[in-house]
Amino acid sequence: MLLDFLTTLDTTPIVLSLKLAVITTVLLLIIATPLAWWLTGSSRRTKSIATAVATLPLVLPPSVLGFYLLLLLGTDGPLGQLSQFLGFTSLAFTFQGLVIASIIYSFPFALQPIQNAFESMGRKPIEAAATLGASPWDRFFTVALPIARPGILTAAVLSFAHTIGEFGVILMIGGNIPGETKVLSIAIYDHVESIEYDQAHALSLLMIVFSFVVLFLLYFLNSKSPLATAKTPAHHD
Amino acid sequence: MTEITVHYQVNRPEFHLNVKFTANGTGVTALFGQSGSGKTTLLRCIAGLEQADEGIFIFNGEPWQNTDINLPAHKRPIGYVFQEANLFPHLSVEKNLQYGFKRRKASEKSIGYDDAIHLVGINSLLKRLPSQLSGGQRQRVAIARALLTNPQLLLMDEPLASLDIQSKAEILPYLEQLNQQLDIPVFYVSHSPDEVLRIADDIVLLKDGHVEATGHLNDVLTRTDLPLAKLEEASAAVTGVVSKHNEEFHLTYVKIQGGTVAVSKLNLPIGHKARIRISAKDVSLALTPAQNTSITNAFPVKIASITPTVDPAKVLIKLDMGGDYFLSQITKLSAHQLELTVGKIVYAQIKSVALMR
């Protein structure tokens, strides 16, 4: 009976949410990692300004964010105009619009763990790599990134989770278009509004289980990193 | 032409460095000074890790840095040993060693991978992570890692300072060996007279960001106008050659310029270079050769200078033993009673001599 129920359940919102979260997370890591690296080496003033801007989405109500994003992405907004100029539709009420909104909305969750990882690593491993003949790019990829791996993983998990849980901003700029912008959180909200508690339950439980599995896997894999064992007592002989 | 020209100027609000000296392109040159003297900053400038306002560095005729050229750190043929090993925490000992080794051209490699590992005795540690090593082991790995970059110049920034006494004792023999076996000039930053006495051939004395003196180790150690001679533990480091062993009394004889010194037996072949340490406190003076004394080492020497010390009751006497110099710390009263004057021949009795290598 449960199986019957599950097969009749509309899973499009789940797929859409996952797609959105994966794309957002990947893009966020690609943007936030070099930015964090640059900020680590820059002056205190630059760092303060950039961090303050990047942290804004954390303190603003989603409605404020959603409102400005709507203006930015809409038919008359600069990004919407650009998109139309390039031959697409405006970005509001589209999946692409959701991706842009999610990146901005989850930005602090990606930037801060990576930046913390780089800061706590300090300059020393990089200097060691330089004296061993590694060029700046070489040092970044072979020393900075691997040492910051736990921070990058945390950033990925937080960005992913935060994007999955996004609701207010999406409602403001995406609306409720099935298969395009009707993500999981919106679908659950709809079901609850229509007093379809069975469906709401099913989607919510599936989401809980899935989120747990993803988090567990990430933390489990991370605990196998040599850096995670760095806290075990030193071995003498 | 083995010569290293060093000239750096750094102007920071709280700190000024202005050094200029020429060092030998061979052997170990100690950059010696108290903390704040600028020795680490100087070493970092030489490595290209820090940018000086003005810098000239010419290594055996090859400019690494001048008004036109400024090689970045990764292009300078150096090996750098940091104060706290600074191994990559995410890589095994083996991968740490290979990091620099892989990045040098094969044609440049003169030190074999296995040779470097043997030299510092880390064969059994290769699979470990840095976090699983003791402080001394980590520093040995760091030394091997630096050697494997095939450096033309080895820079060591107080490699023993963060280690306990036991680990220091564990590493010092390796450092000495390294300097004897490899033909790489070394700049060795230190604030410990003990280390410098054991390791250095030449010394650059730094004080408040400028050079106070440079020269051969013993020349600087026995210059009574410089701070090293004024230390409570002031010592001379005299170089000689092992001439004979005495099995019965367990002694080794080391021939220095003005005589032969007996020290506790050490397993060194006859003819091997040896360095002995003579502490100023252990040298007493007499006007006639002493009879019936327990002191083995007594030699006629010429008084080169007499200098007051910080302690008004004592004087520092510089002694010339056929061209080798050492110091004696005696009371002003004794100096007065013996009527010591510069140029006078006296008998130095050396209570204890330590063979350092």
Side-chain angles (χ1 to χ4, degrees), chain A residues 123-136 138-139 142-144 146-147 226-227 229-237, chain B residues 44 47 49 73-74 78-80 82 84 86 88-90 96 99-100 103-104 124-125 128-129 131-135 137 145-146 149:
Chain A
R123 296 288 308 156
K124 287 181 137 200
I126 296 302
E127 288 184 345
T131 65
L132 294 169
S135 68
D138 192 358
R139 310 201 275 261
T142 58
V143 175
I147 292 181
L227 296 165
T229 61
K231 286 174 196 76
T232 57
H235 188 289
H236 298 268
D237 67 4
Chain B
R44 289 172 57 81
L49 294 175
H74 67 277
I78 51 151
Y80 200 104
F82 294 83
E84 277 157 34
N86 201 0
F88 300 125
H90 63 298
N96 263 284
Y99 193 92
R103 283 169 173 76
R104 290 280 186 247
S124 60
L125 310 176
R128 302 231 189 122
L129 285 169
S131 56
Q132 297 167 318
L133 303 177
S134 70
Q137 290 171 335
R145 183 175 72 169
T149 62

Side-chain angles (χ1 to χ4, degrees), chain B residues 1-13:
Chain B
M1 187 165 66
T2 56
E3 189 181 80
I4 304 171
T5 306
V6 184
H7 176 37
Y8 279 102
Q9 199 171 327
V10 176
N11 300 312
R12 308 240 167 91

Side-chain angles (χ1 to χ4, degrees), chain B residues 55-110:
Chain B
I56 295 172
F57 192 91
I58 298 163
F59 183 84
N60 290 345
E62 207 180 301
W64 294 4
Q65 189 169 353
N66 58 27
T67 42
D68 307 320
I69 300 169
N70 187 2
L71 294 181
H74 67 277
K75 295 245 172 80
R76 299 190 184 200
I78 51 151
Y80 200 104
V81 179
F82 294 83
Q83 197 179 115
E84 277 157 34
N86 201 0
L87 301 177
F88 300 125
H90 63 298
L91 298 178
S92 67
V93 167
E94 197 168 25
K95 292 269 170 60
N96 263 284
L97 295 175
Q98 284 166 353
Y99 193 92
F101 191 61
K102 280 193 309 197
R103 283 169 173 76
R104 290 280 186 247
K105 286 186 215 104
S107 58
E108 288 175 356
K109 285 171 186 165
S110 68

Side-chain angles (χ1 to χ4, degrees), chain A residues 5 16 19-20 25-26 55 104 122 125 129 131 146 164 214:
Chain A
F5 173 72
L16 196 65
K19 193 172 128 192
L20 179 65
T25 303
V26 169
T55 313
I104 292 168
T131 65
I164 292 271
V214 169

